[in-house]
Amino acid sequence: MNIEPKISVIVPVYKVEPYLHKCLDSIIGQTYQNLQLILIDDGSPDNCGVICDEYAAKDSRIEVIHQENGGVSAARNAGLKLATGDYIGWVDSDDWIEPDMYEYLLENALKYGADIAVCSRLECFKERKLFKGWQQVDILDKEQALEKLLQSDEMNNLLWDKLWRRDLFAGITFPEGRTFEDIAVMHRLFAKAQRVVCLPEAKYNYRQWLGGIVSNVGLDNRINYYIAAKQRYDEMAGDWSRFVPLLQTQCVAAAVGIWSGYLSNPRIERSKFRSDILEISEFCKRHYKVALQYSNMGFIGRSILHLTPFAKLWAFVAAWFLGRLYRIRHGRNL
């Protein structure tokens, strides 16, 4: 008798009350029904915990963890401990998925013998949607998949548009107390995979809003992004020397976000991170020319990239101004 593989879908939940119903409805309404849905209420101060319990009372596939706020990494780690599925899926609680996303991902993972299946995605702004992904099915080996990941364009550095064989997460924990935890572990997961299938249909809807982590211009948040990229560079440079330029480019790209948001932080915050800024600037002095060659940034991003070797007020002023232009043009922060 054929037994359908179980998919454990893990959803960290924190301060997303306006969006949570849409997210959860999109998961429980999946055409593929053999799901374990794990909701981690990470000490959310609104009604998210109550909403999670209401859904669990109506659907036996749902399990809820209530914990003190420890950040998204702690929530992800708690979810992994509870997961019993053959595959792992992730959904951010302010996003939503198409009704057949997991059927689509699983069917193609099995068809192509892939350890990771990736669908295309829609980046959803207030007044428009932007397609990101593939025009046709693309089968990648380990090295090809890592290269796509490090190029950070079609293949994003986030967990949620992918279906993962559960055993890839053996020995993997997310770094607690930091943001951009996906970047810190993604390359380790891809290095374990023998085959990755990339799919053209957009099945994940990624909500773009100024309250999200990516749009947060706080220096602590932006420097966490750089730390994750630099840690990946340090871990991979020895074994994957051909990817060194891409790894350096990601670090410098992280600095672009720091420079563009620097003056939006209070003076006391800027003083607190002064030594970090100087260290990052020194890295950029050594590698910004490589980043200019390999970066897929547009004109504004590349203009700020030229400023990152300089930890001077004039450079931060120029970067702030360019960052404002980017926000006006694109409706989000760099």
Side-chain angles (χ1 to χ4, degrees), residues 260 263 300 304 315-326 328:
S260 66
L263 288 180
I300 291 177
I304 298 175
F316 295 126
V317 170
W320 178 86
F321 177 75
L322 289 165
R324 291 286 293 175
L325 286 180
Y326 184 91
I328 292 169

Side-chain angles (χ1 to χ4, degrees), residues 14-306:
Y14 184 74
K15 288 180 71 173
V16 289
E17 186 177 348
Y19 313 116
L20 188 55
H21 285 284
K22 184 171 186 175
C23 173
L24 298 183
D25 288 342
S26 75
I27 300 171
I28 63 175
Q30 287 290 295
T31 55
Y32 191 82
Q33 289 285 293
N34 192 16
L35 304 178
Q36 174 196 24
L37 176 51
I38 304 171
L39 308 179
I40 305 96
D41 167 26
D42 190 37
S44 189
D46 53 14
N47 289 316
C48 283
V50 173
I51 294 170
C52 290
D53 288 336
E54 288 173 350
Y55 274 82
K58 294 184 290 186
D59 193 324
S60 62
R61 298 173 301 168
I62 299 177
E63 301 176 50
V64 181
I65 301 172
H66 298 284
Q67 62 184 34
E68 291 186 10
N69 179 245
V72 68
S73 289
R76 293 198 194 284
N77 290 333
L80 279 175
K81 290 177 183 177
L82 202 61
T84 59
D86 306 286
Y87 290 85
I88 302 289
W90 305 87
V91 180
D92 280 2
S93 52
D94 50 351
D95 299 334
W96 71 99
I97 60 178
E98 295 301 311
D100 62 341
M101 182 174 115
Y102 283 119
E103 180 181 3
Y104 180 63
L105 289 172
L106 180 60
E107 179 182 288
N108 283 283
L110 295 174
K111 177 180 179 180
Y112 294 105
D115 301 299
I116 305 170
V118 189
C119 63
S120 297
R121 63 196 185 274
L122 292 175
E123 297 189 354
C124 301
F125 299 85
K126 188 174 181 179
E127 297 176 349
R128 63 189 172 97
K129 293 184 177 182
L130 179 64
F131 175 89
K132 288 284 189 176
W134 290 265
Q135 298 303 316
Q136 59 189 20
V137 175
D138 199 358
I139 311 296
L140 309 176
D141 62 24
K142 185 199 304 286
E143 190 165 341
Q144 291 169 327
L146 279 168
E147 183 171 19
K148 286 285 187 185
L149 181 71
L150 296 175
Q151 287 170 344
S152 195
D153 184 19
E154 292 171 318
M155 184 82 75
N156 71 29
N157 280 269
L158 298 164
L159 294 162
W160 35 247
D161 56 352
K162 304 168 179 70
L163 184 66
W164 311 78
R165 283 185 61 88
R166 181 185 169 194
D167 56 10
L168 295 176
F169 286 91
I172 296 288
T173 56
F174 293 92
E176 299 192 11
R178 281 172 34 196
T179 51
F180 296 100
E181 72 294 337
D182 297 15
I183 293 176
V185 304
M186 195 71 68
H187 62 289
R188 301 174 194 168
L189 295 167
F190 271 63
K192 290 184 174 186
Q194 299 305 311
R195 180 178 291 183
V196 176
V197 59
C198 305
L199 304 165
E201 293 187 30
K203 300 295 185 183
Y204 193 95
N205 298 282
Y206 175 34
R207 189 188 301 274
Q208 297 278 352
W209 58 297
L210 291 177
I213 288 291
V214 174
S215 292
N216 181 350
V217 297
L219 278 179
D220 188 21
N221 185 59
R222 292 295 176 94
I223 288 173
N224 273 337
Y225 181 27
Y226 174 84
I227 289 171
K230 181 61 163 57
Q231 180 181 334
R232 174 164 20 197
Y233 169 54
D234 292 339
E235 288 182 13
M236 291 187 67
D239 294 332
W240 297 94
S241 57
R242 63 162 292 206
F243 293 146
V244 163
L246 285 172
L247 291 163
Q248 293 170 342
T249 298
Q250 282 203 333
C251 295
V252 178
V256 167
I258 295 170
W259 260 242
S260 66
Y262 181 82
L263 288 180
S264 298
N265 288 265
R267 186 184 301 271
I268 190 170
E269 196 75 359
R270 303 201 300 261
S271 298
K272 176 181 172 183
F273 290 103
R274 183 62 183 169
S275 61
D276 299 282
I277 295 293
L278 291 172
E279 180 181 327
I280 294 167
S281 178
E282 287 301 315
F283 183 95
C284 293
K285 282 180 185 177
R286 299 193 298 272
H287 303 300
Y288 84 98
K289 290 182 179 178
V290 170
L292 284 169
Q293 182 179 348
Y294 284 87
S295 171
N296 55 19
M297 290 182 176
F299 174 77
I300 291 177
R302 292 173 69 84
S303 298
I304 298 175
L305 197 154
H306 278 282

